Amino acid sequence: MTSLLHVDSSATDAGDSISRQLTAGFAQVWRKLHGADGYRYRDLAADPVSLVSPAFVSLGLRVERQGAVPLAKVAGMTETAAEEREWALTLPLIEEMLAADTVLLGVPMYNFSVPASLKAWIDRITFPGAFLASGTGERLLRRTRVVVVTARGGCYAPGTPREGFDFQTPYLRAYFTDLGVSEENLHFVHAEMTRAGDVPQLARFKPLAADSLTAAWTAVTELAARPVGGRAAARSR
Ligand SMILES: Cc1cc2nc3c(=O)[nH]c(=O)nc-3n(C[C@H](O)[C@H](O)[C@H](O)COP(=O)(O)O)c2cc1C
């Protein structure tokens, strides 16, 4: 069974959030093709993941010092109630990620980067060794497809004056490829200039915003319908 993990992080209500609308469109096409059984949804704005704590770090350091530790053995390495709590918060998020063939992220640009709610999720799932097979060191996400749908009030496309202000795309590209996702399985869809309809100084960019949104809808619809290639191997650790 193929599976989709859909994660939204916009603090804006679904009716007004461009990233939420686009990821919902992707999910709708995907469910039509694959059914609802493999679909998981996480709303990081409505149900935030807590920031990592000293107990998360101390447990992570202990695991790191051991080298490759299977996820199933981490609970046995906790030394305090706080570490147990941290692991209980962390493990389900890692398992959700490992179980997904496709990870779909809705990412508004906040202050040139990603929302803090998404960063909190990233910090928590990135537990030492979580995405490496403990026996072989194999990268468990190498066949996972990641689709990042961004929405930005301004425009950061190549060749625009604010291209260099985009710390969303390079950050997420570095993060996911370092985690083991292959370049060919990592997709970015951008809706640019989303505030052109609200901010008077941006009104002249309304056509650019409309074109960008149309292109984003085409891209998410096409990506949702595209089969995820080569994900046959079991993910045993
Ligand atoms: C807290 C906050 C920070 C923002 N920072 C930026 C920014 O740095 N650059 C930008 O172009 N737009 C910025 N915006 C505008 C959002 O990127 C834009 O409204 C986008 O459509 C949000 O995604 P959403 O529609 O899915 O909520 C910001 C909006 C908020 C609420």
Side-chain angles (χ1 to χ4, degrees), residues 8-14 16-22 106-113 115 149-156 162 165 168 191-195 198 202:
D8 275 326
S9 60
S10 171
T12 301
D13 289 337
D16 291 320
S17 161
I18 303 292
S19 63
R20 284 179 183 276
Q21 288 166 20
L22 287 164
V107 188
M109 177 179 276
Y110 286 174
N111 298 304
F112 307 121
S113 185
V149 179
T150 78
R152 300 99 169 263
C155 182
Y156 301 83
R162 293 218 150 194
F165 286 53
Q168 256 183 332
E192 311 266 15
M193 214 43 101
T194 61
R195 305 300 308 280
D198 307 311
L202 299 179

Side-chain angles (χ1 to χ4, degrees), residues 2 7 23 25 44 60 66-67 73 80 85 100 103 105 118 136 141 164 166 170 173 181 224 227 236:
T2 187
V7 178
T23 59
L44 297 174
Q66 290 283 318
K73 294 208 169 146
T80 63
R85 274 197 304 276
V103 177
L105 298 178
L118 180 67
T136 60
L141 299 182
D166 176 5
R173 186 180 296 287
V181 175
S236 59

